[in-house]
Amino acid sequence: MGQYLASGYEALSAELPGGGWPMGALTELFIQHRGSAEIQLLQPALASLKQGHIALLQPPYQPQALAMSALGIDAAKLLWIRCQKHSDALWAAEQILRNGSCSALLFWQNQIKTESLRRLHLAAQGGQTLFCMIRPPDYALTASPAPLRLKIHMVMHGLQIDFIKRRGIQRQAPLFLSVPALSSMFSTEHIYADSTIEASRHATTGITAPLAGAVSAYASH
């Protein structure tokens, strides 16, 4: 780790070690109602990425390409990945991090073993991918190798951020960020099987092969 991506929020950047989101490291975001707050928080950073794909692994709902595009996030760079098994999702995340072809990986996950977190953090350290794992707040106090752990609450006119863990002096008071209200980034409609990208342990060309079809599958809905 060593590079940082500007958060797009001056107040938040002032509180983040390095002045931005850490690249090549695991960052954990704990959110009660996932599917909106994380995009509000990460939108400026994701929109600033010029190279590589943005992988959305196991999102709670179907991503909406038009809504993402309206936020300045290039829909052609979005890779929507669903896995039937927990082990396959962990495998896919590790391959993405080791492959280095994605500039960002957002991984929605609930319960996960500490050793799996360590393995993913280690894989992330070998590259410069923005790696954020979005989890329920019930796991905010569990052991983790992540150097940055934030709890996010949606409040009137913005987001409230509690700093669970960060390098340096800890912040006790929550941070309020004024952010514009966003339309839903995800659809709650049924996700059809033919519009999912299944990770395969037997892909002969590595993670780039199953990811390649995700752009058209994502953009067609």
Side-chain angles (χ1 to χ4, degrees):
M1 195 181 77
Q3 295 187 21
Y4 297 85
L5 182 65
S7 73
Y9 299 103
E10 184 176 349
L12 176 60
S13 293
E15 297 293 337
L16 294 176
W21 297 113
M23 310 287 281
L26 167 63
T27 293
E28 288 184 280
L29 305 177
F30 299 95
I31 303 172
Q32 183 64 51
H33 302 292
R34 294 169 293 169
S36 181
E38 61 268 49
I39 301 300
Q40 286 181 297
L41 181 64
L42 296 171
Q43 179 269 329
L46 296 177
S48 71
L49 294 171
K50 304 303 181 184
Q51 303 293 328
H53 290 97
I54 299 172
L56 308 177
L57 178 58
Q58 301 293 79
Y61 307 108
Q62 177 180 344
Q64 296 296 292
L66 291 178
M68 295 286 190
S69 296
L71 295 175
I73 302 173
D74 187 356
K77 293 182 178 180
L78 295 173
L79 305 176
W80 171 33
I81 310 162
R82 290 190 70 221
C83 301
Q84 295 295 331
K85 298 179 181 179
H86 174 71
S87 58
D88 286 342
L90 295 176
W91 177 86
E94 184 173 351
Q95 298 310 305
I96 291 170
L97 294 170
R98 294 192 184 281
N99 181 271
S101 62
C102 291
S103 56
L105 168 61
L106 275 59
F107 184 12
W108 285 261
Q109 191 58 261
N110 294 328
Q111 187 172 359
I112 181 172
K113 294 181 179 179
T114 303
E115 52 263 37
S116 295
L117 288 175
R118 290 197 186 100
R119 187 180 179 93
L120 292 177
H121 180 51
L122 182 62
Q125 289 179 309
Q128 291 297 327
T129 298
L130 173 64
F131 176 32
C132 296
M133 183 173 286
I134 298 97
R135 308 178 65 193
D138 294 346
Y139 302 102
L141 298 181
T142 58
S144 171
L148 181 62
R149 309 181 85 200
L150 306 176
K151 185 184 291 186
I152 315 300
H153 306 270
M154 297 186 69
V155 296
M156 187 71 70
H157 305 305
L159 300 173
Q160 177 181 301
I161 301 176
D162 292 311
F163 288 77
I164 305 300
K165 178 184 177 182
R166 68 173 179 178
R167 288 195 172 100
I169 300 175
Q170 295 303 301
R171 178 186 171 107
Q172 301 301 322
L175 174 68
F176 173 77
L177 288 183
S178 177
V179 299
L182 301 180
S183 59
S184 177
M185 298 298 101
F186 300 91
S187 170
T188 57
E189 297 179 358
H190 175 68
I191 300 176
Y192 296 97
D194 61 359
S195 62
T196 63
I197 304 303
E198 304 298 344
S200 170
R201 293 180 181 274
H202 306 292
T204 57
T205 55
I207 194 66
T208 53
L211 288 181
V215 175
S216 59
Y218 180 94
S220 64
H221 292 270

